[in-house]
Amino acid sequence: RVLKADPNAINRIVNNIIENAIKFTNEGGEIIISLAMQKDKIVFSVKDTGEGIPIELQKRVFEAYYQIGHKNTGFQGMGLGLPIVKKVVDGLGGAITIESQPDKVKGTTITIILPSHRLNGYEEIVQSGTGISKLNYEFSYYSIGDSEFKQGRRTLLLIEDNITMINFLFQKLNFHYNVF
């Protein structure tokens, strides 16, 4: 069995769910990632030992621009990650669920269930590495230095109070500009 989907859409789902687990799990916590087949479904699950999501807010996290407050303001986001993930999952005919009861036990489990697909004689499986960027989870957001100055490049000064956003901009612009 395979999954019939745009590889970049799957990449976006996996990246977002794992990044959220990392952001909201304190140092020394645990994150368990699983991928399994259940009958004709593909089940991707990420369980963390973070703060958890209050039951009354679990539906709201799928609303665009909604963010749950977090004591570490360095991990602010734009509130678009989970709404995009939900839209992609819905478009693939799947479902996304949140299990979290922070008043009883720490942690959150996000499960994504997608329909599997049987190949017909005309379809081919996309091989790994064909246009899909590798997953890279490096969270060194606490301090961002200047890029190495390279002669002949234009120079940009980035000013932003959201550490996640400035890290994102730095990573994207650093390839073509001197960034301070």
Side-chain angles (χ1 to χ4, degrees):
R1 296 280 192 155
V2 297
L3 180 62
K4 187 174 182 177
D6 178 349
N8 290 312
I10 299 306
N11 193 20
R12 175 169 278 184
I13 290 170
V14 170
N15 269 311
N16 186 276
I17 300 303
I18 294 173
E19 285 177 359
N20 282 344
I22 292 169
K23 285 181 194 178
F24 293 102
T25 301
N26 293 328
E27 187 174 341
E30 184 176 51
I31 298 171
I32 299 169
I33 302 167
S34 66
L35 181 65
M37 288 291 301
Q38 289 181 358
K39 296 182 182 177
D40 60 344
K41 306 285 183 195
I42 296 170
V43 180
F44 171 65
S45 179
V46 177
K47 179 179 182 177
D48 65 53
T49 57
E51 297 290 321
I53 303 171
I55 292 170
E56 65 274 10
L57 299 181
Q58 290 178 17
K59 289 193 186 310
R60 296 213 56 203
V61 297
F62 296 115
E63 296 174 13
Y65 307 110
Y66 182 78
Q67 297 179 62
I68 293 177
H70 188 261
K71 64 184 177 187
N72 182 352
T73 57
F75 286 124
Q76 295 171 339
M78 296 181 67
L80 293 174
L82 285 176
I84 290 173
V85 166
K86 179 153 179 39
K87 185 170 180 141
V88 171
V89 168
D90 289 348
L92 294 172
I96 183 170
T97 61
I98 296 175
E99 294 174 48
S100 189
Q101 296 181 335
D103 54 334
K104 295 180 181 175
V105 63
K106 284 191 166 208
T108 299
T109 302
I110 295 188
T111 303
I112 295 172
I113 301 171
L114 297 170
S116 64
H117 177 74
R118 288 188 190 269
L119 293 176
N120 64 33
Y122 304 103
E123 296 174 315
E124 293 181 26
I125 296 175
V126 173
Q127 300 301 314
S128 63
T130 54
I132 303 172
S133 62
K134 291 185 179 181
L135 302 180
N136 183 8
Y137 301 108
E138 184 177 323
F139 284 86
S140 56
Y141 291 173
Y142 295 105
S143 64
I144 299 172
D146 299 334
S147 67
E148 177 186 337
F149 183 81
K150 294 183 180 174
Q151 195 67 33
R153 284 188 176 184
R154 292 183 178 206
T155 301
L156 296 175
L157 172 63
L158 291 180
I159 300 171
E160 171 61 57
D161 64 351
N162 182 314
I163 195 76
T164 303
M165 179 57 77
I166 201 158
N167 185 63
F168 172 78
L169 292 170
F170 180 86
Q171 296 298 327
K172 295 296 181 187
L173 296 170
N174 187 37
F175 292 108
H176 303 290
Y177 301 93
N178 295 312
V179 181
F180 296 94

